[in-house]
Amino acid sequence: MSRPILIGIAGGTGSGKSTVANEIFYSLPGESIAVIEQDSYYKDQSHLTLEERKKTNYDHPDAFDTELLVKHLKMLLDGEAIEKPMYDFEVHNRKKETIKVEPKDIIILEGILILAEPEIRNLLDIKIFVDTDADVRIIRRIQRDIKERGRTIDSVIDQYMNVVRPMHMQFVEPTKRYADIIIPEGGCNKVAIDILIAKIKQILAKN
Ligand code: ADP
Ligand code: C5P
Ligand code: MG
């Protein structure tokens, strides 16, 4: 097996990163692809109370265990399996269980700050930024966080205004400059997703 290809999908919260990554994954059933979420690598916060964990800044690079993520990416690139951490948004903490990820020909890494970390950026073969307007992103986030992440509308808006928005402007948006490809709108951009799928098929055929 030749070295796996590592594809990074960055973009603001609610831009559609996870949707794009999953769309690619499920469009290529049975193919040698793994998806790694940067969210899975939020630092363990078991030493804090739930109230303290609610107050953590989850949009700053320091919130992530980048050391472990880089180690795992290098292992996958070297053809070794990893035990990927699992994250529980409802309790703001890593779960006790991990999930085994076998090495694959294509590794898709998605997350808000994957292009902000030089060590991660340097490992990526293809760098993508999903670019969705902030008004659309906050609407998507309100709906998703209430439905799937156990939040209230007030908590989402408060967190967005005080933390998510300023951190996005400081750390996420500037990384668009590192992207090879910019995908507007995320999940509904069928043209862009089809082009990516065609490229991935080409890589898989070569392997
Ligand atoms: P991210 O991982 O970038 O935060 P998600 O992929 O989780 O974004 O998308 C955020 C929310 O918006 C999800 O509930 C998802 O189903 C929805 N969504 C994603 N892309 C689209 C789209 N193109 N049109 C409508 N809703 C979308
Ligand atoms: O999927 P998405 O890119 O939206 O995931 C990242 C977002 O998750 C960050 O903007 C962060 O504010 C949010 N988050 C949260 N609570 C946590 C961990 C992350 O609201 N415990
Ligand atoms: Mg996501």
Side-chain angles (χ1 to χ4, degrees), residues 91-158:
V91 299
H92 306 267
N93 207 4
R94 213 180 256 185
K95 291 186 185 180
K96 287 207 169 59
E97 313 89 72
T98 56
I99 185 162
K100 187 168 189 168
V101 178
E102 300 287 352
K104 301 282 179 187
D105 290 341
I106 303 276
I107 313 288
I108 300 176
L109 171 69
E110 63 96 357
I112 49 173
L113 288 168
I114 58 159
L115 295 181
E117 293 288 351
E119 256 203 294
I120 300 176
R121 212 165 57 225
N122 293 336
L123 293 174
L124 298 170
D125 298 290
I126 300 175
K127 298 188 269 303
I128 296 166
F129 191 96
V130 182
D131 195 15
T132 305
D133 289 342
D135 54 348
V136 175
R137 291 192 293 103
I138 180 62
I139 289 169
R140 285 182 187 167
R141 173 142 175 175
I142 289 169
Q143 290 179 324
R144 181 198 63 194
D145 283 10
I146 291 173
K147 237 189 282 169
E148 297 170 21
R149 295 187 179 178
R151 303 293 147 81
T152 63
I153 184 155
D154 286 345
S155 76
V156 181
I157 291 172
D158 183 62

